[in-house]
Amino acid sequence: MTSSLYTPAHFAAPDREAMLALIERYDFGILFVADGDDMQASHLPFMLDRSRGENGTLLAHVARANPIWKLLETRPALAVFQGEHGYVSPRWYETQPAVPTWNYAAVHAKGPARLVHEPAELKALVDRLSRVYEDPAQWSVASQPDRFIDGLARGIVGIEIEIADLRGKFKFSQNRPAADRANVLAALEGSSRHGDHALAAEMRKVLKA
């Protein structure tokens, strides 16, 4: 099973841990499934269960009315996660001539999907997903009326994707000379654009700058 993520060697993710950490931090991803000559996609919050499989297993659910789950019965799933990103001006480089570019981090996770239909298992899945963001003392599946939760379970399909192929691209100016990288970091850290400071912080981790 291969991935379509184009990744020159110098932009490859530092390691498996960096890719899993990005999934956990930016867990609102996009699920893609091939549909003949077309493609179906859904935007979903995912939970990564690191204890299941070599690269972990992604947990999510979709509305039963969403046709994408039927495609997963016979086709592999691709989940895409995007981390920090931002514009890089050629004006920041000492090495000239140069062109604009975009720095970013992204991870593609691909694998076979297991569909969850059984009501008790669905309720447990929803409860587990909600606990990522909710204090169970404030809200939980168990605290809700049974009739309400039963109706919820009938209206969704759970998805478990054991990650068979994990690819990451961390494009953080690794192909530029040291002076150019330093200038990019300084410009991003001095920027007022949303996300630039966070991008610089992630770049420093990877570049060890």
Side-chain angles (χ1 to χ4, degrees), residues 44-57:
L44 303 171
F46 288 88
M47 177 182 178
L48 175 64
D49 184 343
R50 293 195 183 213
S51 69
R52 297 171 57 187
E54 181 181 356
N55 297 311
T57 296

Side-chain angles (χ1 to χ4, degrees), residues 5-207:
L5 179 61
Y6 169 65
T7 311
H10 44 266
F11 295 145
D15 50 40
R16 176 175 169 275
E17 172 58 32
M19 291 186 282
L20 295 180
L22 185 145
I23 290 174
E24 289 174 327
R25 183 173 179 184
Y26 303 97
D27 52 1
F28 189 67
I30 306 177
L31 173 66
F32 293 95
V33 187
D35 184 8
D37 294 332
D38 201 354
M39 184 75 66
Q40 294 287 334
S42 287
H43 300 255
L44 303 171
F46 288 88
M47 177 182 178
L48 175 64
D49 184 343
R50 293 195 183 213
S51 69
R52 297 171 57 187
E54 181 181 356
N55 297 311
T57 296
L58 295 170
L59 310 178
H61 64 78
V62 297
R64 187 166 291 275
N66 187 338
I68 197 169
W69 68 266
K70 295 181 180 179
L71 297 172
L72 292 171
E73 294 178 321
T74 57
R75 296 170 177 83
L78 172 65
V80 175
F81 301 88
Q82 180 175 287
E84 303 296 346
H85 61 94
Y87 176 77
V88 175
S89 171
R91 296 180 289 104
W92 301 343
Y93 297 148
E94 291 188 18
T95 307
Q96 296 292 336
V99 295
T101 191
W102 202 272
N103 278 5
Y104 63 92
V107 170
H108 288 197
K110 188 177 182 182
R114 171 182 175 264
L115 300 176
V116 180
H117 297 283
E118 200 277 320
E121 195 174 358
L122 280 171
K123 294 175 191 177
L125 175 61
V126 172
D127 187 58
R128 188 175 182 187
L129 293 171
S130 70
R131 287 170 184 263
V132 176
Y133 297 101
E134 287 288 347
D135 178 354
Q138 302 295 320
W139 191 96
S140 69
V141 169
S143 69
Q144 303 304 301
D146 289 341
R147 180 178 295 181
F148 172 73
I149 296 300
D150 289 343
L152 169 70
R154 288 192 295 271
I156 63 173
V157 175
I159 299 171
E160 299 181 347
I161 304 167
E162 184 173 344
I163 302 172
D165 186 79
L166 185 65
R167 306 291 176 96
K169 185 173 183 179
F170 287 53
K171 182 179 176 292
F172 288 157
S173 301
Q174 297 97 320
N175 59 325
R176 304 299 304 185
D180 288 352
R181 294 197 298 268
N183 288 353
V184 170
L185 286 166
L188 290 172
E189 288 169 343
S191 171
S192 60
R193 287 201 306 261
H194 174 74
D196 280 359
H197 292 189
L199 172 60
E202 293 302 308
M203 286 178 60
R204 285 196 179 278
K205 292 177 187 177
V206 173
L207 299 175

